[in-house]
Structures are given as structure tokens and as C-alpha cells.
């Protein structure tokens, strides 16, 4: 028997006056197609989930009246009440531990870690309990929860505020790890994460919060699938989250040089979509992996290894990586040197044995 039956619902409106019912009631929100920021898309996804399932709760540091430091939860407490969206003490381990208890008792907690490195005090809860309870109980106790983590650089922040911690979670069996790169995926992937019966680590690229795009709230997402976001025939650029924009910009620059670059957005780091990535690389024979995190023992390293293993016979050149450096995150004045940029991607592409 499913301990956490779900109603498959999609679509909605997070804006004021959208028709969302009063707290404690469930409804099907309005389907809309609008241009909005990634921040607004995340806010809408949370509002729609709260409106459609009264078991969904949102909590974390300053997410209530303030609406979160990035305003992702703006207006949710006013709309749904302090029982559905509320502030917590500055105690990340306690936040996740509380979410574990809620999930074990049939609720669907969505928690916000204020910044990437702020989530590390909760790491023991995540690794020892969130990721393992399903396996520990042979599936009798599921963990339907989402841990939202703003991550990555590009905002002029410092260490603890701009780290890329995705490899820690991707290395932990039992967790689904997701990172959107555009407003549509932010909406659709967050709705899919909240609907999942198992725990999802939702890594949100801070520097893309104010990027804009069209969002259709009827579009659903599969947490197991990558996406080819630009077709090309000469080289495949593989990335996720904040670095997809760099890959797309590099593809434009390569087109001006007469090279056709394909771009794959991994979207879900684990489970990893080998099929889409391998098929893409098999079509071009060359690949570059782009990610902000330090390169050593990273998600980028894992992608590079999997492409080598599965596409070796068709590769025209070694798979390259363009990553952050193996150092603590740079100070604001130097982060533009730390983060992967178009020039570093073009240099990597140039090294892919084009002669002959």
C-alpha cells in the first residue's frame, strides 16, 4: 500500500488574486503561459503545489514573512498561512530532521537551505536518514521531501555563499539530484520533485534567478531525462544548472567560427540519463563537459568517465572538462577568473584534435 498517495496535478498561478483557495483546501490551479523569471517560476511552482495538495509544507530560514533572501517564497505565508509556510530557527540539521519526521507521517515538506554551504550542517541528516530510510525499511517508509539549495557563483558572493556542493549529494545513493537551467525547467522540475515519493535535492543556480523565459504551467518534466537544448554536428557541450548558459553562449561563438556545437542540459545529475548523453556524443564524436564545481572528483568527472566508457569507439578526441578550480571559491573580485567562461570552453574545443 502506498503510504503517500498523490494526485497527479499540474498547472497553476502563484500571483496574487490567482484564485488559489484558502489554506487547508485543495484545488486545481489555473493553467497559464507567461514570461517570468526563474525566481517567479519557482515561486509559482511552490504556490501551485501548496494549492493542490494540503500535505505540502514550505519552511526554512526567513522563508515566511520575508519571503526568503532571494524572494522565492514571497507571498506564500500571506496566501496560505503560517501553518503551510513558516520560518524556522537557524538550525539546518533541525530543519531537515523535522522534515524527516513530517515525511514519515504523511506530509510533504519542502525546505529551503538559505545558501549552499549553509546546508552542510544538515548533511548528516541527509546522508544517514533522508537518503537511507526507504532502503532501511524495504520501502515501507518513503521520504517524499524536497530540499531546495541555492548554489553556485556569479553573484559577487564569497565562500559559504557561492559553493557548488552537488557532488556530495550525487555521490549519495538514495537521493535524486536536480538542477534547472531555465524558468520552464525550474517550474516543471520542481513540481515533479514535489510529486516524487522519494527525496529530491533541488539545486537552484543563484545567478539565474532573474533570468527570464516563457513558462507553460501545463508542461511536465521527467526527473530521469536530460535534454538536448541546441542541435549541432561537430562537438557536444554537456552541462547543467548555471553552466548551461555558458555552453549556449559558447555554441554561438563556435557557430561564428564555422563549428556546429550541440548542447545537452543534464538537468538531473542522478539518476543520470546515459542514453540521451551517449546518443548525443555518438552523433558528434567530440565532447566537452562544463560545470562550476571544482573538477577533482566532481560530477563533471563522472560525466567524462561515463562518456569515455560508453562512447570510446566513436570518439575523435579525449573528452575535455572545463570546471572551477580545485580551490575554495574565489573572492568577488576574482570569481570571473574562477568560473568557467566562453573563452575557456573555446580553448577546450580547440584541443579536440580537429586536424586531419
Amino acid at each position: 500500500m502506498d503510504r503517500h498517495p498523490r494526485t497527479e496535478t499540474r498547472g497553476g498561478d502563484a500571483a496574487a488574486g490567482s484564485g488559489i483557495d484558502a489554506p487547508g483546501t485543495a484545488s486545481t490551479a489555473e493553467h497559464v503561459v507567461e514570461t517570468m523569471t526563474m525566481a517567479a517560476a519557482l515561486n509559482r511552482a511552490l504556490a501551485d503545489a501548496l494549492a493542490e495538495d494540503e500535505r505540502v509544507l514550505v519552511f526554512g530560514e526567513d522563508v515566511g514573512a520575508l519571503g526568503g533572501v532571494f524572494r522565492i517564497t514571497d507571498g506564500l505565508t500571506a496566501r496560505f498561512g503560517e501553518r503551510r509556510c513558516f520560518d524556522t530557527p537557524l538550525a539546518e540539521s533541525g530543519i531537515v530532521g523535522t522534515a524527516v519526521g513530517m515525511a514519515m507521517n504523511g506530509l510533504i515538506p519542502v525546505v529551503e537551505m538559505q545558501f549552499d554551504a549553509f546546508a552542510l550542517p544538515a548533511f548528516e541528516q541527509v546522508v544517514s536518514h533522508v537518503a537511507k530510510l526507504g532502503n532501511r525499511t524495504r520501502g515501507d517508509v518513503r521520504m517524499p521531501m524536497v530540499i531546495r539549495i541555492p548554489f553556485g557563483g556569479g553573484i559577487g558572493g564569497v565562500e559559504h555563499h557561492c559553493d557548488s556542493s552537488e557532488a556530495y549529494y550525487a555521490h549519495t545513493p538514495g537521493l535524486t539530484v536536480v538542477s534547472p537551467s531555465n524558468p520552464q525547467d525550474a517550474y516543471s522540475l520542481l513540481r515533479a520533485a514535489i510529486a516524487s515519493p522519494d527525496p529530491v535535492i533541488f539545486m537552484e543556480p543563484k545567478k539565474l534567478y532573474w533570468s527570464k523565459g516563457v513558462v507553460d504551467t501545463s508542461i511536465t518534466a521527467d526527473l530521469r531525462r536530460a535534454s538536448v537544448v541546441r542541435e549541432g554536428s561537430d562537438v557536444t557541450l554537456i552541462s547543467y544548472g548555471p553552466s548551461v548558459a555558458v555552453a549556449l553562449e559558447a555554441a554561438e561563438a563556435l557557430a561564428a567560427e564555422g563549428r556546429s556545437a550541440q548542447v545537452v542540459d543534464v538537468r538531473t545529475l542522478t539518476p543520470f540519463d546515459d542514453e540521451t548523453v551517449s546518443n548525443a556524443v555518438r552523433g558528434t564524436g567530440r565532447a566537452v563537459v562544463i560545470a562550476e564545481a571544482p573538477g577533482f572528483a566532481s560530477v563533471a568527472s563522472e560525466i567524462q568517465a561515463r562518456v569515455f566508457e560508453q562512447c570510446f569507439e566513436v570518439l575523435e578526441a579525449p573528452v575535455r572538462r572545463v570546471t572551477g578550480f580545485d580551490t575554495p571559491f574565489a573572492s568577488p573580485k576574482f570569481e570571473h577568473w574562477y568560473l568557467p567562461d566562453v573563452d575557456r570552453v573555446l580553448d577546450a574545443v580547440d584541443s579536440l584534435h580537429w586536424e586531419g
Side-chain angles (χ1 to χ4, degrees):
M1 177 180 177
D2 188 352
R3 291 170 56 91
H4 304 287
R6 306 295 182 88
T7 300
E8 285 293 329
T9 51
R10 292 292 185 269
D13 184 357
S18 65
I20 292 175
D21 288 352
T25 63
S27 67
T28 300
E30 180 186 3
H31 164 222
V32 298
V33 180
E34 291 181 2
T35 297
M36 64 182 74
T37 64
M38 179 181 284
L42 293 165
N43 178 276
R44 187 180 298 269
L46 291 170
D48 289 352
L50 285 162
E52 293 180 355
D53 191 335
E54 62 183 5
R55 296 172 300 163
V56 175
L57 303 172
V58 175
F59 55 97
E61 296 162 0
D62 295 325
V63 306
L66 180 65
V69 293
F70 296 104
R71 302 298 185 267
I72 305 303
T73 57
D74 191 30
L76 298 183
T77 297
R79 196 166 307 142
F80 295 98
E82 293 182 345
R83 293 177 61 85
R84 304 287 307 282
C85 180
F86 53 90
D87 292 331
T88 65
L90 305 181
E92 291 79 7
S93 183
I95 294 171
V96 175
T98 300
V100 169
M102 289 180 169
M104 291 177 70
N105 287 281
L107 298 175
I108 304 172
V110 181
V111 305
E112 177 179 302
M113 297 286 110
Q114 200 165 71
F115 285 92
D116 26 61
F118 292 13
L120 298 181
F123 195 61
E124 192 276 335
Q125 290 281 357
V126 174
V127 173
S128 296
H129 304 298
V130 173
K132 292 184 171 63
L133 268 168
N135 183 69
R136 187 180 299 155
T137 61
R138 299 183 179 180
D140 286 342
V141 177
R142 307 291 287 271
M143 280 285 106
M145 70 162 66
V146 179
I147 301 176
R148 297 179 38 246
I149 304 176
F151 86 114
I155 63 166
V158 294
E159 63 174 13
H160 293 97
H161 296 73
C162 290
D163 295 328
S164 294
S165 53
E166 63 270 26
Y168 300 131
Y169 304 105
H171 185 70
T172 303
L175 299 176
T176 294
V177 183
V178 177
S179 185
S181 68
N182 57 73
Q184 178 66 66
D185 278 355
Y187 179 88
S188 299
L189 289 169
L190 184 54
R191 293 302 308 274
I194 296 171
S196 171
D198 296 310
V200 177
I201 307 295
F202 201 85
M203 309 291 296
E204 300 171 1
K206 293 191 292 288
K207 73 178 183 183
L208 298 182
Y209 272 150
W210 312 117
S211 63
K212 291 185 177 180
V214 175
V215 174
D216 181 340
T217 59
S218 69
I219 294 176
T220 61
D222 186 339
L223 293 177
R224 299 165 298 182
R225 304 300 293 182
S227 175
V228 177
V229 294
R230 179 188 173 110
E231 295 291 349
S233 57
D234 293 331
V235 60
T236 301
L237 307 180
I238 307 166
S239 191
Y240 58 87
S243 296
V244 173
V246 177
L248 289 168
E249 189 178 351
E252 285 293 323
L254 287 166
E257 296 177 356
R259 286 174 176 163
S260 174
Q262 178 188 50
V263 178
V264 176
D265 181 354
V266 172
R267 303 204 306 175
T268 301
L269 312 187
T270 179
F272 188 76
D273 182 3
D274 286 298
E275 180 182 8
T276 296
V277 173
S278 295
N279 286 342
V281 176
R282 287 179 179 279
T284 65
R286 294 179 172 86
V288 175
V289 185
I290 308 158
E292 284 190 16
F296 187 83
S298 63
V299 171
S301 300
E302 176 66 22
I303 296 172
Q304 182 188 40
R306 297 175 90 91
V307 172
F308 266 125
E309 290 171 351
Q310 298 177 33
C311 304
F312 182 77
E313 73 277 10
V314 302
L315 290 175
E316 300 286 347
V319 179
R320 302 298 191 194
R321 290 176 300 156
V322 178
T323 68
F325 298 114
D326 296 328
T327 66
F329 193 81
S331 64
K333 288 185 178 179
F334 302 120
E335 73 169 354
H336 64 288
W337 287 328
Y338 177 91
L339 297 171
D341 62 13
V342 171
D343 285 342
R344 288 174 61 194
V345 176
L346 298 183
D347 287 345
V349 171
D350 285 344
S351 73
L352 296 179
H353 298 185
W354 297 95
E355 61 281 357

